[in-house]
Amino acid sequence: MTPNSPKSSAVEATKNSETNSAASRLRNLLVVLAAIALAASMFFGLRTQTPSSSLTEMAKASAPIETALTNGKPTLMEFYANWCGSCQAMAKDLSEIKQKYAEPLNFVMLNVDNDKWLPEITKYRVDGIPHFVYLNNKGSAVAQTIGEAPRSIMEANLEALIAGKELPHAQSVGQVSNFTPATGPTKTSSSDPRAHGSQVQ
């Protein structure tokens, strides 16, 4: 068989096709494996460091409101929710601020999704979150701010609160997540068969 014969060309074409096909399959397999590894690392990385879990952890570590109102220390009270993007955006800075000012201040976090805090939500007129209430050492509100705030503004307010001075940024308003508080029990229609006390007709 001569090198340029039709049979040798067909054999070479078949070999090249098989080589290209094998290389292509290997490349595709490597791409799929890399994609799976990347997706798994992102999934596990996000699960272990989600802002909502850090908000929950921060809330668990915060002072009980009853203690904060009676222990003679000024207090920063935050109304938040795990779904609140602005709350999540501030979580890292607030965590560091709480560590820095842990001794002279109380930090209280109240989740607006918990009906238990409805009296406080109503008292402080919370309609956007994060909503911060600055309480003096007697437990009285001296200022409120709403929305995202830079760390420098939060720290300036806290320094003034600790010193018993007027807060320099007492009326600051940043980006908020809207929140409409519940005002009472939800009413059900009397025609709804699941309503308590309804008659089946």
Side-chain angles (χ1 to χ4, degrees):
M1 186 167 26
T2 60
N4 291 331
S5 73
K7 284 189 177 184
S8 72
S9 295
V11 169
E12 281 182 35
T14 303
K15 286 181 182 178
N16 286 340
S17 174
E18 288 173 2
T19 303
N20 288 342
S21 178
S24 179
R25 277 183 270 163
L26 179 61
R27 184 183 70 237
N28 290 345
L29 177 64
L30 291 174
V31 168
V32 168
L33 291 175
I36 290 170
L38 180 62
S41 66
M42 287 177 59
F43 175 76
F44 290 114
L46 290 175
R47 282 188 57 147
T48 58
Q49 296 180 4
T50 57
S52 62
S53 69
S54 67
L55 286 170
T56 302
E57 293 303 315
M58 287 169 52
K60 285 180 185 175
S62 71
I65 190 169
E66 302 80 17
T67 303
L69 294 175
T70 59
N71 70 2
K73 290 167 47 171
T75 299
L76 175 65
M77 183 185 311
E78 177 186 4
F79 290 91
Y80 79 99
N82 288 331
W83 49 262
C84 167
S86 296
C87 302
Q88 293 172 1
M90 290 187 69
K92 182 176 184 280
D93 281 345
L94 282 174
S95 177
E96 292 170 4
I97 288 171
K98 289 177 182 186
Q99 290 175 4
K100 181 176 179 180
Y101 295 98
E103 184 60 36
L105 283 173
N106 296 308
F107 291 93
V108 175
M109 293 182 68
L110 306 179
N111 190 329
V112 297
D113 290 333
N114 187 338
D115 291 340
K116 174 181 180 180
W117 307 121
L118 188 56
E120 287 78 11
I121 291 168
T122 304
K123 177 179 180 178
Y124 297 109
R125 299 179 182 200
V126 178
D127 60 2
I129 52 177
H131 184 113
F132 299 97
V133 180
Y134 297 82
L135 305 166
N136 64 17
N137 58 358
K138 295 179 174 84
S140 300
V142 295
Q144 297 187 41
T145 61
I146 302 168
E148 286 183 48
R151 181 174 177 160
S152 58
I153 287 179
M154 293 293 295
E155 288 190 0
N157 279 344
L158 293 177
E159 292 284 346
L161 184 66
I162 292 166
K165 297 179 180 176
E166 188 174 321
L167 276 62
H169 308 286
Q171 299 302 320
S172 68
V173 177
Q175 183 174 340
V176 300
S177 294
N178 290 330
F179 165 71
T180 304
T183 55
T186 306
K187 293 184 178 181
T188 57
S189 166
S190 61
S191 63
D192 184 353
R194 294 171 295 193
H196 294 288
S198 65
Q199 300 278 336
V200 177
Q201 298 179 5

